[in-house]
Amino acid sequence: MDVLRKEDIYTIDDIYALPDGERAELIDGKIYYMAPPNTKHQRLLNYISTEINMYIRENNGECEVFPAPFAVFLNENDTNYVEPDISVICDKNKISDKGCHGAPDWIIEIVSPSSKQMDYYKKLFKYRTAGVREYWVVDPEKELVTIYSFEKDSMEEYSFDKDIPVGIYERFSIKVQ
């Protein structure tokens, strides 16, 4: 007789128990290990987060920008934990010493060869259902930014050399190039 083995369900405690320097995300109880980012990834991360920070500062904005590693607890359970490359959070009540509890307003993921499936599919669904307002997938290989505006139920693509409008802000765009 065959016995069905229940697949292991991991929790946030398992993430915190990882050895120092090991990074992983947790989606629906499954652990996904993260490769270290390359130089191009880090340059994009630094540039985009700086542009957002400058816009917020110049406009006396309420939102805060958190680059990775920064914990986001998407749901009220212990089986989902992500570290978006950039999280923009406008509700200060969601922020604690441990990270963000609930959906950030805007999430940006910079695709690496090992994260394509996660960024374009798994996280897209998770972020949408958790209540993220806007999700950007920045693909350095294709030099393309895919923007999902969940409030407008739309998806648009922009090349790095175009001004990319930010949906959660009026009169703000970023040229990634």
Side-chain angles (χ1 to χ4, degrees):
M1 181 168 110
D2 286 351
V3 177
L4 289 175
R5 189 174 85 72
K6 182 180 163 278
E7 197 172 317
D8 289 331
I9 300 291
Y10 293 95
T11 67
I12 291 168
D13 290 337
D14 296 305
I15 294 291
Y16 286 131
L18 291 172
D20 280 351
E22 181 109 45
R23 287 182 54 212
E25 294 179 304
L26 183 67
I27 295 182
D28 297 330
K30 187 168 178 357
I31 290 182
Y32 297 90
Y33 292 93
M34 299 165 68
N38 64 26
T39 302
K40 189 171 190 176
H41 179 282
Q42 290 304 92
R43 280 188 179 126
L44 283 166
L45 173 74
N46 185 41
Y47 175 76
I48 295 168
S49 58
T50 299
E51 289 292 302
I52 299 167
N53 268 312
M54 287 182 354
Y55 176 83
I56 291 170
R57 192 172 308 128
E58 289 166 6
N59 291 278
N60 299 313
E62 294 292 316
C63 304
E64 283 189 76
V65 181
F66 294 93
F70 181 73
V72 173
F73 308 94
L74 283 174
N75 311 98
E76 293 294 324
N77 63 36
D78 65 350
T79 58
N80 288 285
Y81 167 100
V82 291
E83 290 185 5
D85 288 313
I86 300 172
S87 300
V88 178
I89 303 156
C90 301
D91 181 351
K92 304 270 191 249
N93 295 321
K94 291 182 178 181
I95 302 169
S96 78
D97 285 344
K98 289 203 178 261
C100 177
H101 300 271
D105 293 83
W106 179 18
I107 288 179
I108 299 169
E109 293 285 8
I110 300 166
V111 176
S112 63
S114 63
S115 74
K116 276 186 183 186
Q117 284 290 108
M118 285 289 286
D119 295 337
Y120 279 108
Y121 302 104
K122 283 188 191 324
K123 286 184 178 178
L124 172 65
F125 176 75
K126 270 310 205 205
Y127 293 160
R128 178 184 202 115
T129 57
V132 172
R133 294 167 59 199
E134 185 166 346
Y135 175 42
W136 287 24
V137 180
V138 178
D139 193 327
E141 201 175 275
K142 295 179 182 173
E143 294 196 355
L144 195 68
V145 179
T146 306
I147 299 177
Y148 299 92
S149 173
F150 298 133
E151 292 178 317
K152 296 177 186 163
D153 201 25
S154 68
M155 186 270 284
E156 296 180 79
E157 291 183 328
Y158 294 87
S159 58
F160 277 16
D161 62 344
K162 301 289 184 221
D163 282 323
I164 304 169
V166 176
I168 68 166
Y169 291 114
E170 288 181 28
R171 300 177 310 279
F172 177 38
S173 63
I174 298 173
K175 189 180 280 189
V176 177
Q177 193 172 38

